[in-house]
Amino acid sequence: INRYNIGQQQWLAPITLESPSKVLKRANFSLQTLNDQLYVLAQLEEGQLLTIVDAESGESLYTGLIKPATNQPDFTLSVTSIYENEE
């Protein structure tokens, strides 16, 4: 992930995210910022890989695989839908 600081008008060090398995060639990706954290969803064969990164430091705070409840070939999520299911 390439980062740019608008206030300083300079590029910051990029963030590289690791994946425990192969990302699909035509994978759906979702990026969202919330509470100074970057939420990244990537489509894998097994489900959706959720990675939460501290937006300032680039430190990975969480990585986990979210599997569909049933066998759904085009299983996709959004960060909003994850938070909606918490309630």
Side-chain angles (χ1 to χ4, degrees), residues 41-77:
L41 284 164
Q43 189 177 17
L44 306 177
E45 290 179 359
E46 301 89 356
Q48 292 283 323
L49 180 65
L50 171 63
T51 304
I52 303 172
V53 177
D54 182 285
E56 279 294 315
S57 69
E59 176 187 358
S60 179
L61 303 173
Y62 174 83
T63 299
L65 182 64
I66 302 171
K67 295 182 179 184
T70 60
N71 188 12
Q72 300 171 2
D74 295 327
F75 173 64
T76 59
L77 285 174

Side-chain angles (χ1 to χ4, degrees), residues 69-85:
T70 60
N71 188 12
Q72 300 171 2
D74 295 327
F75 173 64
T76 59
L77 285 174
S78 68
V79 173
T80 306
S81 67
I82 293 169
Y83 278 101
E84 286 173 356
N85 288 331

